[in-house]
Amino acid sequence: MSATQTPSRPDTKFIVILSDGMAENPLDALGGKTPLEAAHTPNMDRVAAMGVVGQVNIIPDSQSPGSDVGNLSVLGYDPDRYLTGRAPLEAGAMGIELKSNQVAFRCNLVTLIGDEMHDYSAGHITSEEAAELIEAVGSRLGGDGRTFFPGVQYRHILVADEKYDVLKGTPPHDIMGQPFADHFPKGDGADEVIGWMKQSWDILKGHPVNRKRIASGKSPANSIWLWGQGKAPSLTTYPEKYGLKGSAISAVDLVRGIARYAGLDVLHVDGITGLLDTNYVGKAEVGLNSLEDGDFVYIHVEAPDEMGHAGDPQKKIQAIEHIDREIVSRVLDYMQRHPHTRVAILPDHKTLCTTRTHERGRVPFTACGVGIEADAIPVYTEKSAAVSEHDFPVGSKWMDWFLGVER
Ligand SMILES: [Zn+2]
């Protein structure tokens, strides 16, 4: 893109603020405005005024508009080539090293009633209860190349042989209230995987954790459900690909997993939740501090997405305003002190308050800093982006442009 040249000094700092699900279509509830338009965002508009606004088509037509696809694409990796499944990304976030001859499955603890998938989360079972159950499952069904790893709440991982990579499984949250047997994994090796799921029934049925849950009126975790398996994605890391030492901050497993595979340090920040009450200031401060010896930081904020899923435009506006006031303002202060910096703000996909789900389609970005010549667009909204000449039809090319290594 002509507005940008390669940063001329090697010590440029790059900051990406990924505002998950922030973009949206106009809402009747907001008088025809989007949450981003309705929100008071003087700092984001300052970035727009100093730099450029444009559009990115982050989600390829071939992929569904999830945060796994979106964040891979924004970070510069073509999802068609690099996305191998959800479970290997989550395994990465948990620090599980997958060998090249292994796959990771997502292993949900679920509640089956009769022949139906009653609850994909086993009544949002606690991590402590789940750990006991997964240990019991692992001690009986583990071995012979299989290892069960306890995760958070109902979300666990099974590492198994690579031969199961070919299976087609189904997310349990997509088949709530439906006959589960219709949605067992299909393909070569499916019988064995279905066998483990069925064997878990006996192991879990009389387990003390489940007895206690039933006694207190909660759903028992009476089955495991295996799906979403894949091999480790082989991403060229940021040091290899861009010559950059970078970090990432996110409360979301998937995003942390992608970051690890991309060779980014996943930084710890106290009190980050993935929700509206997350620690915005902490994210900004830890992220900016990492630039003392790093070149790149990816600050991911989940809150706008969650407020979209909640169908609450006012809370989505609040999330966007928190990001503007607590994060973007600090980044602008940092740029005053360190002029050789570039910053970008963008979402990974739209999350609609109307449908409470993600939608594909172009999303707006804004970026400013060293080497980025200002265009004439002074505000950052979906509408202002739509009239911009800056358009990236292939989302995974956007990062090359932002980092000034356009090829
Ligand atoms: Zn979402």
Side-chain angles (χ1 to χ4, degrees):
M1 208 190 299
S2 57
T4 305
Q5 304 135 11
T6 303
S8 54
R9 275 169 35 189
D11 59 348
T12 304
K13 307 292 185 183
F14 299 96
I15 303 164
V16 175
I17 301 168
L18 195 293
S19 193
D20 202 294
M22 177 168 67
E24 181 139 10
N25 303 328
L27 290 170
D28 290 343
L30 298 176
K33 290 185 175 178
T34 67
L36 178 58
E37 274 182 289
H40 179 61
T41 53
N43 296 303
M44 292 186 192
D45 290 341
R46 176 120 185 82
V47 173
M50 292 195 298
V52 299
V53 174
Q55 293 197 107
V56 204
N57 184 32
I58 292 173
I59 311 290
D61 292 343
S62 49
Q63 301 279 348
S64 57
S67 288
D68 46 356
V69 175
N71 283 279
L72 260 180
S73 186
V74 171
L75 281 165
Y77 302 98
D78 177 0
D80 284 342
R81 185 163 162 207
Y82 292 104
L83 187 71
T84 55
R86 170 191 292 247
L89 298 178
E90 293 179 339
M94 289 162 64
I96 300 167
E97 296 264 347
L98 281 182
K99 299 196 187 100
S100 60
N101 62 352
Q102 291 179 318
V103 293
F105 280 89
R106 165 64 91 74
C107 174
N108 277 51
L109 282 172
V110 301
T111 306
L112 306 178
I113 295 184
D115 64 353
E116 279 183 7
M117 174 63 67
H118 179 72
D119 188 347
Y120 68 90
S121 73
H124 286 276
I125 188 165
T126 66
S127 302
E128 294 71 28
E129 291 171 303
E132 281 191 52
L133 296 176
I134 290 296
E135 202 204 319
V137 168
S139 69
R140 295 271 295 280
L141 301 180
D144 200 17
R146 291 184 299 281
T147 312
F148 288 82
F149 293 89
V152 175
Q153 295 174 2
Y154 58 90
R155 306 187 295 269
H156 313 283
I157 294 288
L158 166 64
V159 173
D161 188 273
E162 64 176 329
K163 71 178 179 177
Y164 304 108
D165 196 28
V166 297
L167 292 183
K168 294 267 174 285
T170 306
H173 52 260
D174 284 352
I175 55 167
M176 296 279 278
Q178 296 180 36
F180 59 79
D182 295 352
H183 301 283
F184 276 145
K186 295 179 176 62
D188 274 352
D191 287 350
E192 291 157 64
V193 175
I194 296 166
W196 306 329
M197 286 157 73
K198 290 183 173 172
Q199 287 174 60
S200 77
W201 299 349
D202 272 347
I203 301 167
L204 294 170
K205 198 174 168 188
H207 193 283
V209 165
N210 274 328
R211 287 195 187 162
K212 239 187 249 169
R213 287 184 65 81
I214 292 168
S216 55
K218 294 176 184 157
S219 296
N222 59 13
S223 181
I224 59 170
W225 187 266
L226 298 165
W227 63 285
Q229 84 289 346
K231 301 178 78 162
S234 53
L235 306 185
T236 316
T237 63
Y238 264 55
E240 294 161 355
K241 188 176 178 180
Y242 295 122
L244 295 178
K245 175 172 161 37
S247 307
I249 294 170
S250 176
V252 176
D253 285 349
L254 276 176
V255 178
R256 290 206 302 266
I258 293 169
R260 284 222 174 131
Y261 286 117
L264 301 173
D265 287 334
V266 176
L267 303 179
H268 173 81
V269 180
D270 285 330
I272 61 174
T273 60
L275 298 170
L276 189 58
D277 65 354
T278 197
N279 181 2
Y280 302 88
V281 175
K283 285 192 180 199
E285 287 178 346
V286 172
L288 292 171
N289 284 342
S290 76
L291 294 175
E292 274 180 26
D293 66 340
D295 313 303
F296 172 89
V297 65
Y298 192 74
I299 303 175
H300 173 265
V301 187
E302 178 75 353
D305 177 64
E306 289 296 335
M307 298 308 107
H309 287 298
D312 192 329
Q314 292 305 333
K315 287 205 169 136
K316 189 162 173 184
I317 289 171
Q318 283 177 32
I320 295 167
E321 291 181 344
H322 284 312
I323 293 169
D324 186 83
R325 195 171 57 240
E326 313 294 0
I327 300 180
V328 183
S329 65
R330 283 175 170 78
V331 168
L332 287 171
D333 286 350
Y334 175 90
M335 289 180 83
Q336 294 272 318
R337 301 193 302 275
H338 302 87
H340 218 78
T341 301
R342 283 186 181 184
V343 59
I345 305 164
L346 76 171
D348 52 345
H349 52 68
K350 301 187 215 176
T351 305
L352 308 186
C353 286
T354 45
T355 60
R356 298 181 168 209
T357 190
H358 300 173
E359 190 178 81
R360 61 177 67 254
R362 278 170 165 70
V363 298
F365 76 89
T366 184
C368 74
V370 59
I372 298 180
E373 238 174 77
D375 64 11
I377 303 178
V379 292
Y380 173 52
T381 65
E382 293 86 348
K383 269 193 204 117
S384 70
V387 299
S388 165
E389 65 187 25
H390 302 307
D391 181 55
F392 290 85
V394 179
S396 56
K397 304 261 195 223
W398 176 87
M399 186 61 86
D400 288 354
W401 167 77
F402 176 65
L403 298 178
V405 292
E406 198 169 12
R407 283 172 278 233

